[in-house]
């Protein structure tokens, strides 16, 4: 039977309708003219069923010149640049949180929970164009990273000023029973009235954490704690030791903490293991300073700035440290008033000893000849039994099939990376992307002369033996000014079927959406950016973290509050692909707990596959047009008529699979169409 015969409209249609549909199909297949209307309209998307603007990623054509370059500065009135995104809303933080760093995000139902160094906020985002603040919970402790599980909220605390009672007065004493460093646990069964129910103290606090639900354990969840601060005194928390592990097997160094949280009694949460996942790792290779930093260092040296050598390189000592040190020199000689030139000379002479005492140094420091002693972030992907540990000088791959006993299965280092910060897996678990927070997030590392391999992402494939193989780097391509802290930071996958598309924070580099389906050719396809917070000096700001959640992109802006975006269709990401992504929804989402995306059987899923086959030339243009037309017709039909159209379409497309360069995607389209026919 010929293709056109198989696709003829059902005989029972009225003559005029049957005639128009016939001509429409001929138009789709052979380019002839048809009667009015000349195209089938998809009522859900509002786009033509026979004409979708699709281009391969090799033809991505971003605005030129880049609109992100040269934006005017301002806190709440900075100039903005946006491409292939729509800003739905911008919300400023409440009074107690203005001027205080906004940190990470977690999601539950229709709520976005935003961490802040002063506590956390809960936003109702059910109406993303008009989100509403429903909770501003004042409870200081840097950096207040947040995660949820069910009715529980977990909040990280690492700084020395966090209090067990959530007080705002801080903790002045070196040793105090009032200090909180670890995990706070809240009951959010009534999310508008969070109840602080428990905490778990750790020796190094919790810089970040990750929540793991074991599919085999319905009674507990597990929290992996990453603490990077100095070890607290044993007098404050018994059992804390900063000795080398060979000197003290209970040392708080070179380990992470695993907390078990009984779901029926979260008050009984406790540390159940401290895995030493860093054993036998050598010191990581490093790179020197960038041309821009070298020029800045030499200029500062000529101007008489105080230069110190710590962590293997010369650095400019900030004024906030110099001023009290100079004042101490003045007091030690019994003087008063402004420091003299002699005081400055005395401080320069003392600095090497001061730095060695505070930060260690020299060949006698046992930590100099070892690998990392802590992770920054650990991204858990329980569906594949693996976690990606971004651990200072290394990227680790961990087996987490036994939640309380994670074990390292591979480790990679790279001299282009300064600080392995976070990880994201591809949805199929065959790739992993690590970020490099070169400069710690508080420095401008996206200047025009900064290497594109530094402060970037590194993309690896994962083999059957769980070994990682490096493929490429990706860095947000728009150069930023010396007044903008900028480097790779937190993001998440967007659930576009059969593609690995990620939205990512770059601090004051804004947010970038890029496709890394091909691990050797990551390509940016959308962005948003603001000008610097301040035109004359580097002030902290920008996107701390940005994640896709139930159809929208939510951004935690360090200085400016909360942003919500929506993707706009483009030739590189079609309306059908975006609509298919929106069919994936969750009741909760954590930044370091990656879910597996599964797409329900829908017409937009089938259309998304057709768009992708069009982009990749996986089917002929005639078959692409035929598939779009038949899907549009079938969507308007019902019962046996719909089943017949879909079955015929599946048979025809399947016949082309063996000769297609994208046979696997063709089979996914066929499977989706057959499933639609059987519904």
């Amino acid at each position: 039977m010929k293709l056109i015969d198989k696709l003829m409209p059902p005989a029972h249609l009225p003559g005029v309708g049957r005639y128009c549909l016939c001509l429409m199909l001929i138009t789709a297949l052979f380019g002839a003219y048809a009667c009015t209307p000349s195209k089938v309209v998809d009522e859900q998307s509002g786009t033509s069923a026979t004409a979708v603007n699709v281009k391969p990623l090799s033809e991505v054509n971003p605005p030129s010149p880049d609109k992100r370059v040269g934006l005017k500065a301002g806190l709440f009135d900075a100039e903005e640049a946006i491409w292939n995104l729509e800003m739905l809303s911008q919300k400023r933080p409440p009074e107690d949180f203005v001027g205080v760093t906004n940190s990470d995000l977690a999601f539950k139902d229709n709520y976005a929970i935003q961490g802040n160094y002063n506590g956390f906020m809960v936003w109702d985002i059910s109406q993303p164009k008009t989100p509403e603040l429903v909770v501003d919970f004042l409870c200081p402790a840097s950096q207040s990273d947040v995660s949820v599980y069910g009715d529980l909220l977990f909040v990280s605390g690492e700084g020395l000023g966090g209090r067990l009672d959530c007080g705002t007065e801080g903790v002045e004493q070196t040793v105090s029973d009032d200090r909180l460093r670890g995990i706070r646990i809240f009951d959010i069964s009534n999310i508008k009235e969070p109840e602080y129910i428990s905490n778990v103290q750790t020796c190094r606090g919790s810089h970040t954490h990750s929540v793991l639900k074991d599919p085999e354990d319905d009674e507990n969840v597990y929290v992996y704690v990453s603490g990077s601060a100095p070890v607290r005194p044993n007098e404050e928390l018994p059992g804390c030791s900063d000795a080398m592990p060979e000197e003290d097997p209970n040392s708080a160094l070179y380990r992470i903490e695993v907390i078990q949280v009984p779901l029926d009694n979260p008050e009984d949460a406790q540390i159940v293991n401290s895995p030493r996942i860093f054993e036998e790792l050598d010191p990581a290779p490093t790179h020197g300073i960038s041309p821009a930093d070298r020029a800045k260092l030499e200029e500062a040296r000529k101007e008489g700035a105080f230069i110190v050598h710590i962590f293997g390189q010369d650095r400019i000592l900030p004024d906030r440290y110099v001023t009290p040190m100079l004042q101490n020199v003045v007091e030690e000689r019994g003087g008063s008033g402004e420091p003299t030139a002699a005081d400055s000379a005395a401080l320069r002479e003392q600095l090497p000893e001061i730095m060695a005492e505070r930060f260690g140094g020299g060949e006698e420091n046992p930590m100099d000849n070892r690998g990392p002693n802590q992770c920054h972030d650990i991204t858990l992907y329980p569906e594949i039994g693996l976690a990606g540990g971004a651990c200072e000088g290394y990227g680790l791959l961990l087996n987490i099939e036994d939640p309380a006993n994670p074990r390292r299965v591979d480790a990679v280092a790279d001299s282009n990376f300064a600080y392995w910060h976070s990880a994201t897996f591809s949805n199929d678990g065959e790739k992993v992307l690590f970020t490099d927070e070169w400069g710690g997030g508080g420095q401008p590392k996206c200047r025009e002369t900064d290497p594109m391999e530094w402060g970037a992402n590194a993309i690896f494939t994962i083999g059957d033996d769980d070994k990682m193989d490096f493929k490429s780097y990706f860095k947000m391509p728009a150069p930023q000014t010396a007044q903008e802290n900028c480097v790779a930071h937190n993001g998440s996958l967007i659930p576009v079927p059969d593609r690995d598309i990620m939205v990512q924070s770059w601090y004051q580099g804004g947010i970038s959406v890029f496709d890394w389906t091909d691990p050797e050719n990551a390509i940016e396809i959308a962005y948003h950016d603001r000008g610097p917070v301040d035109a004359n000096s580097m002030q902290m700001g920008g996107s701390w973290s940005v994640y896709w959640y139930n159809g929208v992109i939510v951004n935690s802006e360090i200085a400016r509050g909360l942003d919500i975006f929506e993707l706009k269709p483009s030739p590189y990401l079609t309306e059908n692909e975006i609509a298919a992504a929106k069919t994936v929804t969750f009741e909760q989402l954590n930044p370091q707990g990656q879910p597996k995306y599964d797409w329900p059987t829908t017409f937009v899923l089938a259309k998304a596959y057709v768009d992708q086959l069009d982009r990749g030339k996986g089917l002929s243009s005639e078959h692409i047009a035929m598939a779009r037309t038949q899907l549009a017709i079938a969507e308007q039909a019902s019962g046996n008529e719909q089943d017949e159209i879909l079955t015929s379409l599946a048979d025809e497309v399947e016949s082309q699979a063996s000769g297609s360069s994208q046979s696997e995607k063709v089979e996914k389209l066929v499977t989706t169409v057959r499933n639609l026919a059987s519904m």
Side-chain angles (χ1 to χ4, degrees):
M1 183 182 293
K2 294 181 180 180
L3 174 63
I4 191 65
D5 294 330
K6 295 174 70 175
L7 300 181
M8 289 297 288
H12 69 267
L13 282 181
V16 173
R18 178 176 168 80
Y19 176 68
C20 287
L21 283 176
C22 287
L23 288 182
M24 188 184 310
L25 292 175
I26 294 171
T27 299
L29 291 172
F30 304 111
Y33 290 98
C35 60
T36 303
S38 62
K39 59 185 178 181
V40 175
V41 175
D42 176 350
E43 293 183 351
Q44 181 168 351
S45 67
T47 61
S48 168
T50 58
V52 177
N53 185 14
V54 177
K55 292 183 179 180
L57 293 186
S58 60
E59 297 180 10
V60 168
N61 186 27
S64 181
D66 198 306
K67 298 187 294 183
R68 291 168 286 187
V69 177
L71 295 173
K72 294 180 181 178
L75 181 56
F76 294 114
D77 58 350
E79 189 177 6
E80 300 182 38
I82 194 166
W83 177 53
N84 290 337
L85 289 169
E86 180 183 356
M87 171 75 79
L88 299 181
S89 58
Q90 304 178 47
K91 299 294 288 188
R92 299 185 185 185
E95 182 178 355
D96 287 336
F97 297 79
V98 172
V100 183
T101 297
N102 294 313
S103 59
D104 220 341
L105 295 162
F107 302 90
K108 175 180 170 61
D109 301 326
N110 292 321
Y111 298 98
I113 304 167
Q114 183 179 27
N116 178 282
Y117 279 36
N118 262 1
F120 63 88
M121 294 160 280
V122 179
W123 301 87
D124 183 339
I125 60 171
S126 56
Q127 301 296 323
K129 292 185 177 181
T130 56
E132 295 183 2
L133 180 69
V134 296
V135 173
D136 52 340
F137 199 102
L138 194 61
C139 188
S142 66
Q143 53 187 20
S144 294
D145 277 10
V146 290
S147 292
V148 297
Y149 184 81
D151 290 333
L152 298 177
L153 169 66
F154 304 94
V155 184
S156 283
E158 183 179 59
L160 300 180
R163 296 180 59 89
L164 288 168
D165 60 6
C166 285
T168 59
E169 63 270 35
V171 181
E172 296 295 331
Q173 299 87 350
T174 303
V175 176
S176 174
D177 292 335
D178 297 325
R179 180 171 285 121
L180 178 283
R181 293 178 65 194
I183 295 290
R184 289 185 168 121
I185 304 175
F186 293 82
D187 182 331
I188 53 171
S189 52
N190 179 359
I191 198 168
K192 295 183 179 181
E193 296 183 3
E195 180 185 356
Y196 184 15
I197 58 173
S198 183
N199 65 77
V200 179
Q201 298 267 41
T202 64
C203 290
R204 300 183 69 180
S206 173
H207 191 71
T208 65
H209 68 269
S210 313
V211 175
L212 173 60
K213 173 62 174 65
D214 178 8
E216 305 298 323
D217 184 353
D218 293 329
E219 297 180 356
N220 304 284
V221 293
Y222 297 83
V223 180
Y224 288 15
V225 177
S226 299
S228 54
V231 178
R232 65 205 300 183
N234 181 71
E235 295 81 5
E236 184 172 275
L237 186 63
C240 293
S241 165
D242 63 357
M244 290 295 104
E246 57 269 23
E247 298 173 6
D248 183 350
N250 295 316
S251 172
L253 301 175
Y254 299 96
R255 74 186 195 193
I256 62 171
E257 315 293 352
V258 178
I259 296 173
Q260 185 183 58
V261 184
L263 293 174
D264 290 340
N265 297 287
E267 299 87 351
D268 295 335
Q270 61 179 334
I271 297 172
V272 294
N273 193 15
S274 299
R276 297 198 178 278
I277 59 175
F278 311 104
E279 291 181 349
E280 300 179 355
L281 288 177
D282 295 327
T286 60
H287 59 67
I289 61 177
S290 70
D293 289 332
R294 184 176 294 108
K296 183 178 179 181
L297 182 66
E298 292 308 313
E299 182 180 355
R301 199 186 304 274
K302 291 177 182 178
E303 293 176 351
F306 288 83
I307 309 297
V308 296
H309 190 82
I310 55 175
F311 304 131
Q313 70 181 58
D314 288 347
R315 302 170 190 267
I316 303 168
L317 190 64
D319 289 343
R320 64 180 181 273
Y321 298 116
V322 172
T323 300
M325 287 181 177
L326 280 173
Q327 189 58 44
N328 187 58
V329 172
V330 172
E331 293 173 358
E332 285 183 349
R333 66 173 170 80
S336 61
E338 293 297 316
T340 65
D343 294 327
S344 294
L347 178 58
R348 291 183 197 280
E349 186 177 343
Q350 297 171 19
L351 270 178
E353 183 178 347
I354 294 173
M355 291 299 106
E357 181 179 340
R358 293 193 178 186
F359 299 102
E363 296 182 359
E364 296 182 359
N365 186 349
M367 299 183 74
D368 286 348
N369 298 314
R370 306 176 77 115
N373 71 84
Q374 188 53 260
C375 287
H376 185 278
D377 276 0
I378 301 175
T379 297
L380 308 167
Y381 198 176
E383 284 81 359
I384 64 172
L386 294 175
C391 303
E392 298 178 338
Y394 276 82
L396 306 185
L397 200 60
L398 306 175
N399 182 300
I400 57 170
E401 293 174 347
D402 181 353
N405 295 282
R407 57 183 178 84
R408 189 179 84 231
V409 293
D410 196 20
V412 290
D414 185 344
S415 61
N416 282 320
F417 262 43
Y419 191 85
W420 298 67
H421 175 274
S422 54
T424 303
F425 289 93
S426 60
N427 191 59
D428 61 12
E430 295 180 359
K431 301 190 292 286
V432 63
L433 177 151
F434 288 99
T435 68
D436 173 22
E437 196 184 30
W438 173 38
Q443 298 181 41
K445 297 299 185 182
C446 301
R447 296 157 297 187
E448 191 168 7
T449 58
D450 287 328
M452 293 300 287
E453 298 83 8
W454 297 4
N457 300 321
I459 301 171
F460 297 80
T461 55
I462 303 173
D464 293 336
D465 56 356
D466 288 338
K467 299 299 180 184
M468 293 180 282
D469 183 21
F470 171 77
K471 292 301 178 182
S472 69
Y473 300 104
F474 172 80
K475 187 173 184 177
M476 183 276 301
Q480 303 291 295
T481 68
Q483 286 73 48
E484 294 172 284
N485 56 303
C486 177
V487 75
H489 212 229
N490 296 337
S492 73
L493 286 185
I494 297 172
V496 176
D498 218 34
R499 294 176 69 182
D500 294 313
I501 296 179
M502 183 170 171
V503 59
Q504 184 178 10
S505 294
W506 292 84
Y507 288 109
Q508 286 199 74
I511 68 173
S512 175
V513 179
F514 62 98
D515 183 305
W516 55 294
T517 309
D518 178 352
E520 296 183 351
N521 294 285
I523 298 175
E524 185 178 54
I525 59 175
Y527 62 67
H528 173 265
D529 190 17
R530 292 180 171 96
V533 171
D534 189 279
N536 301 310
S537 63
M538 217 299 296
Q539 302 290 331
M540 280 293 291
S543 176
W544 177 289
S545 56
V546 61
Y547 306 112
W548 169 279
Y549 181 68
N550 292 353
V552 294
I553 291 172
V554 185
N555 178 45
S556 179
E557 219 287 353
I558 290 171
R560 292 152 171 141
L562 191 82
D563 303 322
I564 301 181
F565 298 89
E566 191 170 50
L567 286 165
K568 290 177 64 176
S570 74
Y572 326 114
L573 183 62
T574 67
E575 189 162 357
N576 291 321
E577 290 176 293
I578 295 171
K582 289 183 177 181
T583 65
V584 179
T585 59
F586 295 97
E587 295 180 356
Q588 64 184 36
L589 181 69
N590 293 315
Q592 278 80 51
Q594 187 168 332
K596 183 175 178 57
Y597 295 148
D598 293 303
W599 292 268
T601 299
T602 59
F603 275 92
V604 291
L605 178 60
K607 294 174 188 177
Y609 286 140
V610 173
D611 290 349
Q612 292 171 5
L613 287 165
D614 188 1
R615 183 180 294 112
K617 308 302 181 186
L619 289 174
S620 68
S621 57
E622 290 81 5
H623 280 90
I624 292 293
M626 175 271 295
R628 287 186 175 132
T629 299
Q630 286 301 95
L631 285 171
I633 295 171
E635 193 168 12
Q636 303 304 315
S638 61
N640 291 335
E641 179 185 335
Q642 183 182 76
D643 294 347
E644 290 175 4
I645 296 170
L646 291 171
T647 299
S648 179
L649 172 60
D651 290 342
E652 180 61 34
V653 172
E654 189 170 37
S655 72
Q656 304 299 311
S658 60
S660 172
S661 60
Q662 294 183 298
S663 57
E664 290 186 8
K665 194 181 297 288
V666 172
E667 290 299 333
K668 290 179 181 179
L669 171 59
V670 170
T671 299
T672 302
V673 173
R674 292 200 188 284
N675 288 341
L676 284 169
S678 64
M679 290 176 65

